[in-house]
Amino acid sequence: MKIGALEAGGTKMVCAIGDEDGSILKREVFPTQTPDITMPLLIDFFMDEGIEALGIGCFGPIDPNKCSATYGYITSTPKLPWKNYNIVKTFSEALNIPIGFDTDVNAAALGEAAWGALKDCEVGIYITIGTGIGVGVCINGNPLHGLIHPEAGHILIRKMANDNYKGKCPYHSDCFEGLASGPAIEDRWGKKAYDLKDVPEVWDLEADYIAQALVNYILCYSPNRIVLGGGVMHQDQLFALIREKVTEYLGGYVRSDAIIKHIDEYIVPTGLGEDSGIKGSIRLGYMAYHNLI
Ligand code: ADP
Ligand code: ZN
């Protein structure tokens, strides 16, 4: 079975043709411009490929609730040409096949749950720390929605006493994303994040904020494992720092061997490399075809 997949991002659109095992048969990347320019290119890519379903993992916030009047819309994004744009309707009218639609990070969590590091997890969490911070949650192989969908990149965390940076989030200033996204690091320290590799206080502070957020996710979602991805996590020295601080902040309260004895296998990098989102979008298409979402 051929399945189309779109990982829709604010700067680029990754398109792929895959199959039900998550193999990618063909892939192409398009820059994200306005819907008028970009959508016809994407439709052209998928047209005449014989795909039976399409999965879209999309930057957001979005409306993934099928009962809602604005289902399929990208809603309150700061990327203005895409604000209140009904991306599902445009694909649906052009391709006339079942479409699965979710956030980019819920899709990534789904991909990791199907074929990567979250396999066999009842509750699995995928976090990207890049241009923004996004959190996807997968429960028994299904993406979590509820009211809208998790927006746990915007939780409020405790600012360190020695951090005078005001924060970068346009909505909340110093929420988690405002303090710890790649652009926040670069704004605070005045250098590209990859040029700060050898400055330990940068990564101590970064690991502290990420650890605070993870502690909150552990306490609220009770995940069986947490995957960390995104550009900032290319600084792989962060993993050891984060694990240490998570243990410290939990203070021995959560009595699970996964945390007490095996934290190296509890807070982990992606199992699918850079492909969590696009493979998760294949999975979304598969699930839409089989009415699983
Ligand atoms: P996006 O979030 O836009 O999908 P990425 O996950 O690649 O893309 O995140 C890009 C951000 O990650 C950049 O703005 C930069 O701040 C940061 N970043 C990219 N590469 C590195 C690196 N090697 N080390 C630290 N930070 C990085
Ligand atoms: Zn915010």
Side-chain angles (χ1 to χ4, degrees):
M1 174 186 182
K2 277 184 159 185
I3 304 163
L6 168 65
E7 189 182 8
T11 52
K12 64 179 196 285
M13 299 282 186
V14 181
C15 296
I17 308 295
D19 67 17
E20 65 272 34
D21 299 323
S23 301
I24 294 174
L25 314 168
K26 182 177 170 184
R27 180 195 314 239
E28 199 168 335
V29 180
F30 301 88
T32 305
Q33 302 182 61
T34 61
D36 279 0
I37 298 172
T38 306
M39 288 300 287
L41 300 173
L42 307 183
I43 288 165
D44 256 14
F45 174 87
F46 291 117
M47 199 68 96
D48 304 326
E49 286 286 347
I51 57 173
E52 293 181 78
L54 174 69
I56 307 172
C58 190
F59 66 92
I62 63 165
D63 185 348
N65 177 357
K66 283 191 171 160
C67 302
S68 156
T70 50
Y71 167 70
Y73 281 63
I74 300 168
T75 58
S76 46
T77 173
K79 291 150 194 125
L80 292 178
W82 296 86
K83 190 172 175 175
N84 299 322
Y85 181 70
N86 190 343
I87 190 168
V88 169
K89 180 167 177 247
T90 308
F91 277 120
S92 194
E93 287 176 355
L95 301 172
N96 200 22
I97 51 177
I99 294 182
F101 180 56
D102 217 309
T103 62
D104 44 6
V105 276
N106 260 353
L110 210 55
E112 289 290 331
W115 301 296
L118 298 175
K119 259 196 281 191
D120 308 320
C121 289
E122 182 187 349
V123 180
I125 296 188
Y126 172 93
I127 305 164
T128 180
I129 303 180
T131 308
I133 297 184
V135 179
V137 183
C138 199
I139 303 180
N140 290 320
N142 292 300
L144 177 66
H145 292 148
L147 183 67
I148 305 169
H149 48 73
E151 275 292 350
H154 293 269
I155 60 169
L156 305 180
I157 56 176
R158 220 162 31 194
K159 201 162 155 179
M160 297 301 274
N162 61 352
D163 182 13
N164 296 318
Y165 180 57
K166 63 184 186 313
K168 191 136 185 96
C169 176
Y171 293 91
H172 324 108
S173 294
D174 58 359
C175 66
F176 179 33
E177 175 175 298
L179 290 175
S181 65
I185 297 173
E186 296 176 353
D187 208 19
R188 179 190 288 109
W189 302 96
K191 272 191 184 172
K192 285 286 170 200
Y194 53 76
D195 289 332
L196 292 162
K197 184 167 182 61
D198 299 322
V199 188
E201 56 264 42
V202 171
W203 309 109
D204 269 351
L205 185 70
E206 182 69 10
D208 192 281
Y209 291 147
I210 296 172
Q212 287 192 50
L214 261 52
V215 163
N216 288 327
Y217 306 153
I218 292 166
L219 296 170
C220 292
Y221 293 122
S222 192
N224 300 91
R225 190 169 301 121
I226 297 176
V227 170
L228 286 166
V232 172
M233 293 311 300
H234 289 146
Q235 299 291 327
D236 43 17
Q237 73 276 21
L238 276 172
F239 280 94
L241 294 169
I242 292 166
R243 290 174 186 134
E244 194 180 313
K245 284 172 191 281
V246 164
T247 306
E248 182 190 322
Y249 280 136
L250 282 172
Y253 185 66
V254 177
R255 305 303 302 165
S256 164
D257 280 354
I259 291 172
I260 296 165
K261 293 188 182 158
H262 307 292
I263 196 155
D264 289 3
E265 295 149 47
Y266 183 71
I267 297 169
V268 297
T270 64
L272 301 175
E274 303 286 314
D275 286 343
S276 323
I278 195 70
K279 290 199 172 189
S281 301
I282 294 175
R283 180 75 188 162
L284 269 176
Y286 175 87
M287 290 174 84
Y289 183 84
H290 290 285
N291 277 319
L292 300 172
I293 42 171

